[in-house]
Amino acid sequence: RTHPAPVDKGPIGANGLAEQRDFQYPTAWFEDKEEKHVTTAKVQGALFDRARTHSPFDVAAWHGNYCPFKYDLARFRAMNTVTVDHADPSIFTVLTLPSAEPGIPSVDFVCFPPRWMCAEQTFRPPYFHRNCMAEFMGLIDGRYDAKVGFQPGGCSLHNVGTPHGPDSATFHAAIQTDTFAPAKVGGMAFMFESRLPLRLSAIAADEGSGLFDTEYCQCWDGLPRAQVPRAADQ
């Protein structure tokens, strides 16, 4: 397959995650206008303009089943643990593009919608980890539950093999939370996860642009050393 599609729900069954009925497709339409138009395409980070003497939407018909669509992330049916532990973020996958290696997608598109957290005796924020996938995530609105001060419109990139997790303030708040009481986390965040390393554009990598957070790593200052629990008989 060469394009992303909704995931196979497997044991979830018929309902949940991104429902096929919530993907919206346009009605066939065209216009026949002889007037100047400019079509702009982006290739490898550069923009290219093409001047035309007619409308680019003068196609009278098409044949096939590959067409544009839109999807409202607010329609996503989130699944979550209702006992203990933290679910892998793949449970929030909207679209996936498999690779030739089973279980390792070329890219996943994931959303984190407002949802209830009710896992007991569990560290509820995302756990600390690093993996074989590059993670580019951003916040659309509301509050992100793993980093204090992360504003809507902001984004972060943790490339392949980069350790990351909740900031120090979130960690200390989470370990003091009464996990026998459910809590709702608000906001809408998204993530692109890929087995391929991602490269920053020149603007995003420019520390003097005002867009680059040069003190990002300091969010983990104050985290205690991990304590390995001792067995009851030791």
Side-chain angles (χ1 to χ4, degrees):
R1 198 166 71 209
T2 58
H3 59 276
V7 299
D8 182 358
K9 294 183 173 63
I12 292 176
N15 305 311
L17 308 184
E19 305 280 11
Q20 290 280 2
R21 65 175 179 268
D22 291 327
F23 289 85
Q24 299 181 14
Y25 301 86
T27 301
W29 170 87
F30 73 96
E31 64 179 10
D32 186 15
K33 291 184 177 180
E34 297 288 337
E35 58 186 30
K36 292 182 179 180
H37 286 81
V38 176
T39 303
T40 302
K42 184 177 182 180
V43 180
Q44 295 184 343
L47 299 176
F48 299 87
D49 291 341
R50 166 70 186 277
R52 300 175 183 271
T53 59
H54 58 89
S55 170
F57 303 112
D58 59 357
V59 178
W62 70 74
H63 177 74
N65 55 13
Y66 191 60
C67 56
F69 65 85
K70 67 178 181 179
Y71 176 77
D72 182 0
L73 294 179
R75 302 285 294 175
F76 187 79
R77 270 65 165 173
M79 301 286 157
N80 210 343
T81 177
V82 294
T83 52
V84 297
D85 211 347
H86 193 285
D88 187 282
S90 61
I91 196 65
F92 299 108
T93 300
V94 179
L95 298 171
T96 185
L97 176 62
S99 70
E101 186 172 354
I104 301 181
S106 292
V107 63
D108 280 341
F109 174 62
V110 182
C111 76
F112 303 107
R115 61 200 182 280
W116 284 94
M117 308 287 279
C118 57
E120 298 178 345
Q121 296 180 311
T122 295
F123 183 76
R124 287 178 174 174
Y127 42 71
F128 295 91
H129 66 287
R130 68 178 184 177
N131 56 28
C132 62
M133 307 290 280
E135 300 178 11
F136 174 77
M137 67 84 57
L139 184 63
I140 299 175
D141 59 38
R143 182 180 65 85
Y144 184 52
D145 62 330
K147 191 174 190 302
V148 175
F150 198 66
Q151 298 295 320
C155 58
S156 66
L157 171 63
H158 299 106
N159 241 323
V160 174
T162 304
H164 57 284
D167 62 10
S168 180
T170 301
F171 168 82
H172 288 289
I175 62 176
Q176 298 175 14
T177 296
D178 177 12
T179 59
F180 290 98
K184 189 172 186 179
V185 294
M188 175 65 77
F190 70 89
M191 180 172 70
F192 287 94
E193 187 175 55
S194 176
R195 67 188 182 94
L196 303 174
L198 302 180
R199 185 177 65 180
L200 292 175
S201 66
I203 294 177
D206 182 5
E207 296 186 9
S209 66
L211 302 175
F212 194 97
D213 185 358
T214 59
E215 300 179 350
Y216 182 79
C217 289
Q218 295 181 14
C219 74
W220 294 295
D221 290 348
L223 286 174
R225 289 178 60 88
Q227 300 293 320
V228 179
R230 292 183 178 274
D233 57 349
Q234 291 183 346

